[in-house]
Each structure stands twice: as structure tokens, then as C-alpha cells.
Amino acid sequence: QVQLVESGGGLVQAGGSLTLSCAASGRTFGTYNMGWFRQPPGKEREFVAALNWRGTNTLYADSAKGRFAISSDVDKSTLYLQMNNLKPEDTATYYCVAEPTRSSSGWSVSDGNWGQGTQVTVSS
């Protein structure tokens, strides 16, 4: 079982930047795909970005392309999400996940592969 702990959320003005971190433990880091999801207020969770286990391939939601960057540091067992040019619509709880799976019906993550979330609030 993997344990995921996010940090780095906060309040930022529109146009600002934040970097989220996710410390992983319980499984050998770098041997499984990882990603970020978010849940805006009153909405369902949605996919943001994914990184393959090698750290060589990335996928982004359209809303994140060109503004967000997912990366990892194997030595620190940490996943990152660099967020630039933040917009009020980026306001959400951001979750680090392990082994996100994409199918014809969308993205899914097993119940035990979620972090507790970190709040990001972007003011206009």
C-alpha cells in the first residue's frame, strides 16, 4: 500500500504560481505511474496530469496544458506539480494519486491510492 502526503497548497492571486509536492512511501518510488487530480468546489474530481513510472512521459488535461508541469524526484520519493499563471477556476482541492488508469470511460484511481489533498485557492 502506498502512502501519499501532499503539501504546498495555499492562497494565491490570479496569475501567480504554486508548486505542490507529494511525498510517497510504502512502495518503491519510480516503479509505478503517478498523477494529480483536483476537485473544484461543488464539482466532481477531475484529472489534471500524469507521469509514467520512468518519469519520461507526461499527460495533461486541456485545462493544464501550457501552464502546469508534473515532475518527480526519485531520490526524494516526491512528485511535484508546478502551476503557473493560475486562474480562479483552478481553485480546488488537489490530490496526488498512484497508478491512475485511463480507459474509454475516463480516468480512474483505486480507493487506496489517493492522498488526503491540499487546498489551492486562486483569488481574482
Side-chain angles (χ1 to χ4, degrees):
Q1 188 85 5
V2 64
Q3 290 80 47
L4 305 169
V5 180
E6 303 95 333
S7 61
L11 174 64
V12 64
Q13 289 188 333
S17 298
L18 278 177
T19 299
L20 306 183
S21 300
C22 172
S25 62
R27 288 177 60 185
T28 303
F29 192 86
T31 63
Y32 49 94
N33 299 338
M34 297 190 73
W36 291 93
F37 279 62
R38 68 185 183 185
Q39 186 167 19
K43 298 184 179 180
E44 294 187 352
R45 290 182 183 180
E46 60 187 26
F47 169 76
V48 175
L51 180 69
N52 73 326
W53 64 275
R54 290 181 181 270
T56 56
N57 289 328
T58 58
L59 286 172
Y60 294 96
D62 288 344
S63 60
K65 288 178 181 177
R67 300 188 300 125
F68 294 3
I70 187 171
S71 64
S72 65
D73 186 328
V74 174
D75 291 337
K76 295 182 178 180
S77 297
T78 300
L79 181 74
Y80 301 99
L81 184 68
Q82 173 69 44
M83 304 185 293
N84 299 319
N85 189 23
L86 284 161
K87 304 175 182 180
E89 52 264 42
D90 294 318
T91 294
T93 301
Y94 283 72
Y95 297 91
C96 174
V97 302
E99 297 183 317
T101 302
R102 185 171 62 170
S103 67
S104 58
S105 58
W107 288 90
S108 63
V109 180
S110 297
D111 287 345
N113 286 349
W114 294 83
Q116 84 287 351
T118 187
Q119 179 67 37
V120 172
T121 302
V122 184
S123 63
S124 57

